[in-house]
């Protein structure tokens, strides 16, 4: 019997050091600018010159221009702000997170992002955009914001908002030459007082030179709305957020300073609705539940079109059965970035992901960095944020160059 022939993969060709060591510095920096963030930080350990690239304005500008856009998911393990019950002070709950759990799709693995040296201990993550995270304090009163870049560890604190709030709904949008923050909701911190819905914004546009500080008049949200604490979705120059009891969708046009109210799809039968960014548009993820409804219970995704809402996807029955067994009616929250939607379950470390391009639902691998394993005690769990990793975030420079607030708020 003839012996079977085995073939082994050829060894990679050796890199000729006499050639590569003479590579021009400018060409070498262009190569490094294309590296994923994890690979870049490993490469910084090679020599002092590479280590200093993170502090080189020329390299950061090159990296900002050439680096491929990456869409990651960043999670925090803590109680959601909406779970706090007002009783003079926030209810006893798990402390704000001191590190984030980053899922790296390039290497399909979990990573830990510490924030101890950057973020004060009483702040919680509220929104993300353009490579920056926006943090707010849990205590009632005027809201001092903290904006930080988790990769470069740079942080800056804008002037605090002027109205007293507990846990507002937060809109946060960062561009290459612009930054806008919108805080909206009830400006009275007692649940026994009459609601007084207000909004305030901080807007900086480097191209036009426009600067709108806190205290400049802003249109209030529509009456008879109930804005939960949470983040807003930015699309087409407007912020979108949910109003509960009954469910509705609100939009705020930044340029026109105008609020609009949109009817939510199947609003009488929704549970745990979330607005997400999906494929460059606005979408809603929610459970549809009613015993006498002609269709079975499911989790659905709707996209906002010019003519209204259109169903994009419905969770398959087999996946929904697994999801319902894990969720057990505790509630869930969704976050979207690009063509991906991630659903986190309250009180659980499980994450279910929907990929629009493949029309595929799948569970992320269990995170080995979670406290107490996959299950989270109390009412906590994971809260997800869409995160675009960037070494350079020019928006922080806009804040440093902005003039101080020219007048105090009255009334």
């Amino acid at each position: 019997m003839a012996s079977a022939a085995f073939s082994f993969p050829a060894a990679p060709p050796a890199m000729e050091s006499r050639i590569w060591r003479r590579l021009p510095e400018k060409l070498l920096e262009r190569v490094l600018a294309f590296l994923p963030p994890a690979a870049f930080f490993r490469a910084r350990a090679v020599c002092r010159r590479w280590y200093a690239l993170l502090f080189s304005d020329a390299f950061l500008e090159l990296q900002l221009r050439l680096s491929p856009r990456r869409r990651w998911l960043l999670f925090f393990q803590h109680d959601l702000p909406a779970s706090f019950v007002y009783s003079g002070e926030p209810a006893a709950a798990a402390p704000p997170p001191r590190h984030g759990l980053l899922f790296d799709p390039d290497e399909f693995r979990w990573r830990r992002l510490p924030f101890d040296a950057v973020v004060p201990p009483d702040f919680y993550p509220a929104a993300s955009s353009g490579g920056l995270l926006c943090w707010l304090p849990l205590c009632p009163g005027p809201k001092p914001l903290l904006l930080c870049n988790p990769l470069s560890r740079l942080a800056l604190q804008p002037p605090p908002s002027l109205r007293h709030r507990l846990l507002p709904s937060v809109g946060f949008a960062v561009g290459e030459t612009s930054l806008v923050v919108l805080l909206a909701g009830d400006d009275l911190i007692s649940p026994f007082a009459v609601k007084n819905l207000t909004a305030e914004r901080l807007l900086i546009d480097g191209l036009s030179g426009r600067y709108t500080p806190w205290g400049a008049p802003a249109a209030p949200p529509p009456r008879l709305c109930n804005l939960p604490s949470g983040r807003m979705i930015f699309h087409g120059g407007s912020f979108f957020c949910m109003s509960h009891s009954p469910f509705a969708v609100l939009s705020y046009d930044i340029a026109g300073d105008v609020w609009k109210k949109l009817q939510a799809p199947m609003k009488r039968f929704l549970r745990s609705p979330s607005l997400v960014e999906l494929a460059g548009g606005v979408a809603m993820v929610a459970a549809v539940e009613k015993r006498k409804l002609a269709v079975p219970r499911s989790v659905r995704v709707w996209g906002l079109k010019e003519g209204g809402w259109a169903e994009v996807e419905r969770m398959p029955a087999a996946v929904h059965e697994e999801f319902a067994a894990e969720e057990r009616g505790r509630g869930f929250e969704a976050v979207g970035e690009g063509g991906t939607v991630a659903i986190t379950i309250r009180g659980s470390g499980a994450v279910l992901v929907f990929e629009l391009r493949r029309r595929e639902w799948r569970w992320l691998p269990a995170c080995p960095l979670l406290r107490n394993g996959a299950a989270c005690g109390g009412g906590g769990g994971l809260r997800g944020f869409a995160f675009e990793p960037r070494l350079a975030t020019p928006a922080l420079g806009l804040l440093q160059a902005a003039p101080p607030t020219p007048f105090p708020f009255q009334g």
Side-chain angles (χ1 to χ4, degrees):
M1 181 177 179
S3 60
F6 295 93
S7 61
F8 296 92
M15 298 177 64
E16 180 56 57
S17 60
R18 290 179 299 177
I19 297 177
W20 289 98
R21 72 173 56 176
R22 292 185 174 88
L23 198 66
E25 291 187 8
K26 290 186 177 180
L27 182 58
L28 183 60
E29 290 184 1
R30 290 179 70 90
V31 173
L32 294 176
F34 280 93
L35 289 179
F40 170 78
F41 280 98
R42 287 195 298 265
R44 292 182 70 213
V46 170
C47 61
R48 291 184 178 180
R49 184 167 66 87
W50 288 16
Y51 182 85
L53 288 177
L54 187 60
F55 311 106
S56 167
D57 291 340
F59 175 77
L60 292 178
E61 182 179 352
L62 180 69
Q63 199 270 347
L64 187 64
R65 181 163 47 89
L66 298 181
S67 177
R69 185 175 182 183
R70 293 177 171 86
R71 302 176 185 273
W72 288 0
L73 295 172
L74 180 60
F75 300 91
F76 293 91
Q77 184 181 8
H78 69 132
D79 279 349
L80 300 180
S83 67
F84 289 104
V85 179
Y86 182 83
S87 59
E89 293 291 337
R98 310 308 306 143
H99 67 270
L101 304 173
L102 180 66
F103 184 75
D104 183 349
D106 297 327
E107 299 186 9
F108 206 73
R109 60 176 294 185
W110 292 90
R111 298 183 180 276
R112 185 177 183 271
L113 273 182
F115 292 93
D116 303 71
V118 183
V119 180
D122 57 342
F123 278 56
Y124 73 90
S128 64
S129 178
L132 294 177
L133 287 176
C134 176
W135 300 68
L136 293 178
L138 290 173
C139 58
K143 292 299 181 183
L145 283 70
L146 182 72
L147 308 183
C148 78
N149 183 333
L151 299 188
S152 67
R153 310 301 297 276
L154 295 178
L156 199 63
Q157 196 160 4
S161 65
L162 301 178
R163 288 189 178 271
H164 287 249
R165 302 181 186 277
L166 180 57
L167 295 169
S169 190
V170 182
F172 182 52
V174 175
E176 299 297 340
T177 59
S178 63
L179 181 147
V180 58
V181 183
L182 176 68
L183 302 181
D186 188 358
D187 66 353
L188 300 177
I189 59 177
S190 170
F192 307 106
V194 177
K195 283 186 176 295
N196 184 26
L197 294 175
T198 60
E200 51 188 333
R201 58 182 177 172
L202 173 67
L203 190 152
I204 306 175
D205 190 336
L207 287 181
S208 64
R210 180 184 179 188
Y211 174 59
T212 304
W214 300 118
R223 296 182 58 190
L224 304 179
C225 291
N226 186 14
L227 298 182
S229 60
R231 58 271 179 102
M232 302 181 185
I233 303 301
F234 181 75
H235 172 67
S238 297
F239 284 113
F240 294 81
C241 63
M242 290 295 303
S243 173
H244 289 193
S245 302
F247 291 128
V249 178
L250 304 181
S251 68
Y252 174 74
D253 180 11
I254 298 174
D257 189 26
V258 176
W259 288 86
K260 293 181 181 180
K261 192 173 183 180
L262 310 174
Q263 181 173 325
M266 303 182 69
K267 64 179 182 178
R268 294 178 56 189
F269 312 126
L270 296 183
R271 183 172 67 84
S272 298
S274 297
L275 291 180
V276 301
E277 186 273 330
L278 182 61
V282 178
M284 178 185 292
V285 181
V288 176
E289 294 185 352
K290 193 176 187 302
R291 291 182 179 180
K292 296 183 179 181
L293 201 61
V295 295
R297 296 182 180 182
S298 61
V299 174
R300 304 187 191 184
V301 181
W302 294 271
L304 182 60
K305 310 295 182 181
E306 293 184 0
W309 297 92
E311 185 172 317
V312 175
E313 185 69 14
R314 188 178 304 184
M315 187 181 293
V319 179
H320 184 262
E321 184 176 350
E322 297 178 4
F323 177 79
E326 178 70 29
E327 193 244 350
R328 302 194 302 275
R330 294 176 294 182
F332 59 89
E333 187 180 33
V335 61
E337 173 70 5
T340 302
V341 173
I343 300 178
T344 55
I345 299 171
R346 186 160 172 75
S348 170
V351 182
L352 181 63
V353 170
F354 167 62
E355 297 284 353
L356 178 62
R357 183 173 63 88
R358 300 178 182 177
R359 300 283 177 173
E360 179 185 18
W361 297 81
R362 60 189 174 91
W363 296 93
L364 291 188
C367 178
L369 305 174
L370 278 177
R371 300 190 307 265
N372 304 324
C376 306
L382 291 178
R383 192 180 196 204
F385 291 84
F387 178 62
E388 180 184 350
R390 291 189 178 186
L391 298 180
T393 45
L396 291 180
L398 294 175
L399 282 173
Q400 292 176 323
T405 303
F407 56 86
F409 179 79
Q410 300 292 334

